[in-house]
Amino acid sequence: MSEPSLRELSKWLTSATHPVHGFLYVSTFFRILSLSLDILLFGLAAGGVALIALGGGDAGNLLVWLILIAVLKAICYYGEQLTGHYVAFKALELLRTKAFAQLWPKAPAIVNQSRSGDVLASLTRDVDRIEVVYAHTFAPLVSAIVVPPAFLLGAGVLVGWSVVIIPAICVMLGLFIVPFIGLRRSMLVTRRTLRLRRELTHHVTDSIFGTEEVVGYGRVDERLAEMDRIGSRIAESACVARAGNAIRRASNTVLSLAAVIGAVYGARQASLSIPLTAALAAGTLRLFEGPRGIEDAAGYLDHSLAAARRLWNISTSPEIVEDGQEVYAPSCPPSIEFAGVSYAYPTGAFSLKDVSFTVAAGEHIAIVGPSGSGKSTAVSMLLRYDNPTAGQILVDDMPIQRYTVDSLRHAVVLVSQRCQLLNASIRENVNLGVPEAGEEEIWEVLETVCLADEVRSMPKSLDTSVGQSGSRLSGGQAQRLCLARALLMRPRVLVLDEFAANLNRRLEDSIRRNLAKKIPGVTVIEITHRLESARAADRVLLMDRGMLVASGSPVGIEESDGMLADFFHRNV
Ligand code: ADP
Ligand code: MG
């Protein structure tokens, strides 16, 4: 994917955070005031003390002024922090919402296509890094460009240009040269650092989700060593950016001292009074709060920009499937037609090759075939997880792209092979697609899938937690729960991908009987490995290496088609 230009990136960011820009300006205004008062406070304090030491001035008066300015400065600082943080946290919310809104229409493909933890890392850590731009970049930058030059101009007019010339040069260097020292290099290595961090995230995510395998196969030490290796590469790479930070900080410190010396020298040359010289020296020292703010901002700008680029890439990747216009709400089970459907995953060879078949309204077909033959891919096309590379799919003679994805997935419901359960209660897992479903309906579908008695005997019944990825349930219970969840949606087309793989024959038969009795009006596409399961269907299709190679009646498979019979002979 092409990299966005800085302009594109800022446009994208600012279009999301537009509602808080007003507060950002208020925060900047407060920062300008606060920085100005800071310079005044130090100048006045130094000048006043010098005056009193020389026997002039009124200490009480000076004190009153100092307190007054200090209080004002505190109020401005408070205002800046309050509005600045409001902007920052609100920007977090706006950016996450925008990124999420751009991501979710691409689900589930976007998650399959990106590496583990990528989407999550972008939505969490990357957005956090971008927040820094709003909290710590804009206001410091603007106030640094406005305040020190304004004070230098004022001082130049009041006490003579020769006095301010050296401090002015130092400030200009601090503002316009120092922030760029090593910046390019640090931007480059920061990208590498972030890439390595991403690698670390994948590694840790995989290790944690694969804990059982890592421990079971005795790979703990290797995983830890690999983690250390990536960690040290990150430290090495981050070192370059830190060196840049250090050089910029050192340069600014040297410049601030040079500016003070220059101011004192200029004031002596111009024969200014001691108190005025002291005031100028102290004020000059504080002028460098401006450049220092930019220097800090430069320190994390590289991270923020790199993070923004990543988020931009993930969020603006092209929509995987376009939404249709029509709402699909069939009142009876539809017919389905695959017309010359081919499909290749972005990363691989063709997984489906010119697959054509029809399913009559209300028919129950079984798709069989060896592992990797494209069965799951075929049904994922029906749910529009992606568009076919060639050919099309029709539901009731209408191409499925015409329908809104949401309505299509409400009518055509998949019980997938890798059934995913949320770490929540049984109730929450069952009513995922129909959150408003009543308790009675939930029990009814649990009865249909023969799970009701088991749930009743659980300690908290429907409110029992299923654990991470359903770890507190057996494989068969998890599969039945996923089937119950699909049934609750009252689908018109039920797609079952190996739903009976973990069930014994008796349970499977009971569930089939219940299904036939309770939900007669559906078209069923069932993927299975079992001859017995296939026998429950009206027709069997055999797939092999992405192609549909045979079809026939399951009644007396031997007679219906030689290839089908051969498949079951070899595999079952
Ligand atoms: P089946 O369900 O018949 O076992 P699949 O439809 O899952 O087969 O897979 C068909 C082919 O597509 C296989 O070669 C598999 O490796 C490939 N495949 C499946 N899922 C993906 C994916 N997310 N990315 C790339 N290739 C995939
Ligand atoms: Mg499969």
Side-chain angles (χ1 to χ4, degrees), residues 67-79:
I67 291 172
L68 194 70
I69 298 176
V71 169
L72 265 180
K73 178 184 148 48
I75 293 172
C76 291
Y77 184 71
Y78 179 78

Side-chain angles (χ1 to χ4, degrees), residues 340-398:
V341 175
S342 297
Y343 180 70
Y345 283 97
T347 49
F350 272 87
S351 298
L352 290 180
K353 292 171 212 156
D354 197 18
V355 172
S356 299
F357 62 87
T358 53
V359 187
E363 196 183 11
H364 176 172
I365 61 154
I367 304 181
V368 299
S371 186
S373 56
K375 307 181 296 293
S376 299
T377 307
V379 297
S380 75
M381 295 286 111
L382 177 59
L383 279 125
R384 296 206 72 202
Y385 285 1
D386 203 347
N387 292 319
T389 319
Q392 63 175 347
I393 300 170
L394 305 134
V395 171
D396 275 339
D397 300 323
M398 186 85 113

Side-chain angles (χ1 to χ4, degrees), residues 5 12 55 97 105 112 138 207 233 235 269 287 292 319 367 394 411 417 465 486 503-504 531 533 568:
S5 68
W12 184 75
T97 312
N112 291 339
F138 186 76
S207 298
R233 282 176 63 205
Q269 289 294 336
L287 284 186
R292 196 157 292 147
E319 290 239 337
I367 304 181
L394 305 134
Q417 190 172 13
S465 162
L503 302 179
N504 62 43
L531 178 60
S533 310
F568 280 111

Side-chain angles (χ1 to χ4, degrees), residues 172-311:
M172 290 304 144
L173 287 175
L175 284 180
F176 300 110
I177 303 293
V178 172
F180 297 99
I181 298 176
L183 194 62
R184 256 183 76 85
R185 196 164 140 68
S186 105
M187 292 244 187
L188 282 179
V189 294
T190 299
R191 277 194 215 180
R192 190 172 73 213
T193 312
L194 286 184
R195 206 169 45 241
L196 285 167
R197 286 232 171 95
R198 194 147 46 137
E199 215 171 285
L200 190 63
T201 308
H202 296 145
H203 186 79
V204 173
T205 314
D206 287 348
S207 298
I208 289 177
F209 284 108
T211 313
E212 286 179 23
E213 285 73 12
V214 171
V215 175
Y217 287 97
R219 311 294 291 191
V220 176
D221 290 341
E222 279 95 334
R223 296 296 294 182
L224 286 176
E226 173 69 9
M227 195 165 86
D228 274 348
R229 203 180 55 78
I230 306 175
S232 19
R233 282 176 63 205
I234 292 176
E236 234 169 71
S237 161
C239 217
V240 179
R242 278 203 299 274
N245 283 352
I247 292 172
R248 290 192 288 271
R249 169 60 42 99
S251 311
N252 267 337
T253 310
V254 169
L255 283 173
S256 67
L257 296 177
V260 173
I261 294 168
V264 172
Y265 176 76
R268 295 320 295 154
Q269 289 294 336
S271 313
L272 297 184
S273 67
I274 301 272
L276 193 52
T277 307
L280 279 173
T284 304
L285 197 61
R286 299 308 291 175
L287 284 186
F288 274 81
E289 282 305 293
R292 196 157 292 147
I294 296 190
E295 172 207 313
D296 284 341
Y300 24 69
L301 200 60
D302 49 358
H303 270 81
S304 306
L305 283 178
R309 281 208 171 91
R310 254 175 70 174
L311 190 68

Side-chain angles (χ1 to χ4, degrees), residues 489-509:
M489 292 183 70
R490 306 196 181 285
R492 284 296 170 191
V493 179
L494 187 59
V495 183
L496 303 171
D497 195 348
E498 306 273 6
F499 99 97
N502 293 321
L503 302 179
N504 62 43
R505 274 307 309 279
R506 243 186 21 181
L507 207 48
E508 187 186 336
D509 286 344

